[in-house]
Amino acid sequence: QVQLAESGGGLVQAGGSLRLSCAVSGRTFSNYNMGWFRQAPGKEREFVAAISWSGSYRYYVDSAKGRFTISRDNAKSMVHLQMNSLKPEDTAVYYCAQARSSSGFNYAVAGDYAYWGQGTQVTVSS
């Protein structure tokens, strides 16, 4: 059984930073691409960032480029999202997700992810 558990969310002022972490168990972590999505109230879930199984490739939504950094530690089966220069519009529940397959990956499509965490709330005050 695959399980993902996010941590690190909270309340921060605009311009501040947070580091989200996601601990994964149940499958060989290093075989699968990982992603972060977020969902704000009244909005659809949107892609934020993704990282390939090796960590060699990283992808970001335009609004996150230059501010967010995704990373992974395959030895610890963890993925992280470092978020700097946070803005009120970053307020959302953030979810980590594991790709459905070890190949053929569309990193921005939620349907290509098979397993999801429960989410962690990030609130950025102005």
Side-chain angles (χ1 to χ4, degrees):
Q1 182 180 2
V2 179
Q3 294 185 319
L4 291 80
E6 302 96 337
S7 60
L11 173 64
V12 64
Q13 288 188 332
S17 298
L18 284 173
R19 186 180 190 235
L20 306 184
S21 296
C22 177
V24 183
S25 62
R27 292 199 294 182
T28 303
F29 179 76
S30 58
N31 285 352
Y32 296 94
N33 303 318
M34 296 292 299
W36 285 95
F37 286 72
R38 66 187 177 188
Q39 187 166 18
K43 295 187 177 181
E44 293 188 354
R45 190 169 299 190
E46 68 166 348
F47 166 76
V48 177
I51 188 167
S52 62
W53 61 270
S54 65
S56 296
Y57 299 97
R58 307 181 189 195
Y59 311 93
Y60 300 94
V61 67
D62 285 347
S63 61
K65 290 178 181 177
R67 299 189 300 126
F68 294 5
T69 301
I70 188 171
S71 62
R72 66 188 296 158
D73 184 337
N74 285 346
K76 296 182 178 179
S77 297
M78 295 194 71
V79 61
H80 306 283
L81 186 67
Q82 177 67 44
M83 303 187 296
N84 300 328
S85 302
L86 283 161
K87 304 175 182 180
E89 51 264 42
D90 294 319
T91 295
V93 177
Y94 283 71
Y95 300 88
C96 70
Q98 187 176 67
R100 186 175 304 280
S101 171
S102 58
S103 63
F105 178 64
N106 188 333
Y107 59 85
V109 176
D112 268 21
Y113 295 83
Y115 301 98
W116 295 79
Q118 80 288 351
T120 186
Q121 177 70 46
V122 171
T123 303
V124 184
S125 63
S126 56

